[in-house]
Amino acid sequence: MNETTAWRASASVLAPAIARRDITARAAVEAVLARIDACNPEANALVEVMHAQARQQADAADAKQTRGEALGPLHGVPITIKVNVDVQGHATTDGVPLLKDNLAQSDSPLVQSLREAGAIIVGRSNTPAFSVRWFTDNDLHGRTLNPFDAGVTPGGSSGGAAAAVALGMGAIAHGNDYGGSIRYPAWACGVVGLRPTVGRIPSYKASAPNRILSNQMMSVQGPLTRCVADARLALAVMAQGSPTDPGWNPVPLTFADAQQPVRVAMMARHPAYDVDPSVEAAVRQAAQWLSAAGYAIEEVQAPRFEEGAALWNQLVQDDMRRGAQAAIEAHAGAGTRNALHGYMANLPGLDRDQTLDAYAERFNILREWGEFMARYPLILMPNSWQRQFPIDADQRGDDAVKALLQAQAPLLGTAMMGLPGLSVPTGLAQGLPTGVQLVAWRYREDQALAAGEVIERAAGYDVLRALGV
C-alpha cells in the first residue's frame, strides 16, 4: 500500500493491510493527518485535530503489533468523533461557546469500544449548536462546507462527520441520529450513513447524563463511511454493550437469512409531499438494481407515514420546551434560535394527558409498521423529498422551516419509531450526490446492509472519485 495515499483506503482494506505489515499504523495516521492539514482549513469539518495524540496512539499500536499481541478489527484505522459525545480529556462542546471548556472525564461507551478495537482518533467533527439543525454551523466553531458545493448544506447535525469522511479525513466518522442527523448528512455529502436500531449501540455521556424521553426512544449513535462494508465493520465494533445505557440490547448483529433477497416496498413518491425529480429517479434506479439481484419490488405506501413524521416533531419539540429551549435561547446563536422557533411555530404544546395519548399513538403506529414490514422487510425511499437545501434555508422564516420539515419526512417518522435506516449513495445529479434510504425492521440492520451492498455495486460510485481527488 502506498503510504502517501493511505488516506484513500477504507477501514476494511486498511486494517488488514496494517495487520499484514504492508503499512504501519503510524504511516496510515500520518497520511490522514496530512490530508486533514491539506483540506480541513477550507472544509472546516473537524474542529479539533489531534496531531500529537494520534501519533502517540499509532506508535503504541505499532509497538503492540511488534510484541505479537492480539489486534482488534480496527487496528491502526484513523477515525473521527463528533464533538457532542465524550472523549476523555477533550471538550464536549456540542458547538456551544458556553461548553468550550467542558472537558470530558471519561470516554462515551462507543468511543471506548472503538479504542479497544484499535481505532485511532485523529479529530473531532463539527455540529450545529446543541445539534438541532440540518445545517452545520455554530458561533464557536464556524460553518462546515459541503465538499461538492459550498452553497448547499453538508447536512446536520453530523455535517462535520459526513464532510470529513467524504474528503478522506478518516475512514470512519462517528455520528448520531435523532431525526436524520446521520442519514441526511451522509446523503448530502455522498457517503454511507447507518442509523442503527435504538438499543443497538449504547449511548451515554457522563458530561450530560440526563436524556429527555423522546431522545431515549429515538436517538442513536452510528457510523458514516465511504462504503457499506465499513459501516458493517463499524457497527460490529460500536455495538458492544455498556451498563451505562440500560436500553442496550444484546441482539445478534446478523441472522441466517441476512443475504437472502426479500420483498421491498418502494416509496418513490407520496401524495402528501412534493418530490424533486432527481430524488424520485434515484429511488427508481435503486429499485431496478435490487430487482436485478432478485429482490421483489412493489410500489406501495407505508402506513400512516405523514402522521408518523408529524408525531416526531410534536414529541421532540415538546421535550425541547421542557429540557433544552431555555439553554438554547440563552446560549445558542441566532441561527439555532431561529430554527427552533420555526420548528415550534404553530405547534402548541401538549398537556399531560395529550402527551400520554401521543406516546400511546406512537406504539400504535409502530405496530402497524410491524405488520407492514412482516410483508415488506425492507422499505426503499429517499432520505429527503428534496435536493440538498441551500445554506441557511431554515433562516428564511417559519414557512421555510415548515417546508423543510415536510421534505425531511422520510427521516422523521422512522426515527420516531426507533427503526434502523441506511443511507446509500447512488451517483450524482447536476453536481450533487444522489442516494436512497433503506429502512429495516428493528435489529435487522443486516438486511439493509446486504441490500445496500447490492446498490453500491450496481452504482459503481466512489465519493473520492466523484470529488475528483
Side-chain angles (χ1 to χ4, degrees):
M1 178 176 288
N2 187 317
E3 291 186 356
T4 60
T5 58
W7 58 269
R8 304 181 70 95
S10 66
S12 49
V13 169
L14 184 58
I18 295 172
R20 293 191 304 267
R21 301 181 187 273
D22 294 345
I23 185 173
T24 64
R26 177 61 182 260
V29 165
E30 290 290 357
V32 170
L33 289 175
R35 178 64 180 166
I36 292 171
D37 292 343
C39 59
N40 193 56
E42 179 179 0
N44 194 35
L46 302 180
V47 301
E48 180 186 6
V49 183
M50 302 177 182
H51 292 90
Q53 190 175 58
R55 289 179 174 122
Q56 291 171 359
Q57 292 175 6
D59 289 343
D62 287 332
K64 178 179 181 178
Q65 188 170 1
T66 299
R67 293 192 299 268
E69 298 180 22
L71 306 181
L74 293 177
H75 179 78
V77 174
I79 66 168
T80 61
I81 303 294
K82 192 172 174 181
V83 80
N84 68 354
V85 302
D86 288 345
V87 174
Q88 186 176 20
H90 298 264
T92 307
T93 71
D94 208 2
V96 180
L98 180 71
L99 301 177
K100 64 182 179 63
D101 298 318
N102 181 33
L103 296 183
Q105 302 303 305
S106 60
D107 286 336
S108 286
L110 68 95
V111 176
Q112 181 180 352
S113 294
L114 287 162
R115 288 194 199 272
E116 290 174 351
I120 296 174
I121 302 170
V122 294
R124 308 294 302 282
S125 60
N126 202 14
T127 185
F130 291 98
S131 301
V132 299
R133 296 177 64 197
W134 285 292
F135 303 81
T136 298
D137 186 18
N138 61 72
D139 289 350
L140 178 60
H141 302 304
R143 186 187 300 280
T144 296
L145 302 183
N146 187 308
F148 286 89
D149 184 345
V152 302
T153 180
S157 62
S158 305
V165 79
L167 287 164
M169 295 190 280
I172 295 169
H174 154 261
N176 28 53
D177 190 312
Y178 193 178
S181 290
I182 288 174
R183 294 163 291 164
Y184 186 72
W187 169 75
C189 293
V191 298
V192 173
L194 175 62
R195 172 199 160 86
T197 309
V198 170
R200 173 66 84 182
I201 294 174
S203 186
Y204 174 74
K205 59 180 180 180
S207 63
N210 297 322
R211 299 175 64 194
I212 55 181
L213 182 58
S214 62
N215 188 277
Q216 294 176 33
M217 301 175 75
M218 303 176 196
S219 181
V220 299
Q221 312 296 321
L224 297 93
T225 62
R226 291 190 294 275
C227 64
V228 175
D230 280 8
R232 179 183 283 107
L233 178 59
L235 174 65
V237 169
M238 296 167 74
Q240 304 304 306
S242 170
T244 60
D245 184 354
W248 177 81
N249 287 307
V251 181
L253 286 166
T254 60
F255 295 82
D257 62 348
Q259 299 296 321
Q260 297 176 9
V262 297
R263 185 180 287 109
V264 178
M266 181 187 73
M267 291 180 58
R269 301 188 60 83
H270 190 283
Y273 305 98
D274 293 330
V275 184
D276 185 88
S278 68
V279 169
E280 180 177 0
V283 173
R284 294 192 182 280
Q285 177 62 79
Q288 291 177 17
W289 289 331
L290 289 173
S291 179
Y295 288 77
I297 311 296
E298 294 184 31
E299 188 163 6
V300 60
Q301 300 293 336
R304 301 177 71 178
F305 185 84
E306 186 179 7
E307 189 176 348
L311 187 56
W312 177 93
N313 195 41
Q314 184 71 65
L315 293 174
V316 169
Q317 302 315 325
D318 277 5
D319 261 356
M320 284 286 185
R321 288 186 176 98
R322 294 189 311 107
Q325 184 177 7
I328 291 173
E329 295 287 358
H331 302 296
T336 303
R337 297 197 305 271
N338 291 339
L340 184 66
H341 185 275
Y343 299 152
M344 294 181 174
N346 302 312
L347 189 71
L350 304 181
D351 63 23
R352 182 199 63 187
D353 288 346
Q354 290 171 327
T355 298
L356 293 174
D357 287 343
Y359 276 106
E361 204 55 40
R362 174 186 180 271
F363 184 86
N364 292 333
I365 294 174
L366 186 56
R367 181 178 57 240
E368 291 187 34
W369 272 61
E371 294 172 342
F372 180 79
M373 296 190 77
R375 176 170 175 79
Y376 303 100
L378 287 175
I379 304 175
L380 172 66
M381 61 180 173
N383 292 283
S384 175
W385 295 118
Q386 296 297 320
R387 302 184 75 199
Q388 290 86 341
F389 301 124
I391 286 292
D392 291 339
D394 61 350
Q395 303 300 298
R396 301 175 183 178
D398 294 347
D399 288 344
V401 177
K402 180 180 178 180
L404 185 152
L405 285 166
Q406 289 283 306
Q408 303 298 64
L411 302 170
L412 305 184
T414 48
M416 186 273 296
M417 292 179 284
L419 297 179
L422 178 69
S423 179
V424 185
T426 58
L428 297 175
Q430 298 177 323
L432 290 175
T434 59
V436 297
Q437 179 184 186
L438 290 158
V439 176
W441 187 239
R442 291 201 273 189
Y443 298 104
R444 292 314 308 264
E445 295 90 351
D446 57 347
Q447 290 181 316
L449 290 164
E453 286 180 324
V454 170
I455 294 170
E456 182 178 68
R457 285 193 298 269
Y461 169 89
D462 175 82
V463 64
L464 295 173
R465 186 171 63 246
L467 287 168
V469 297

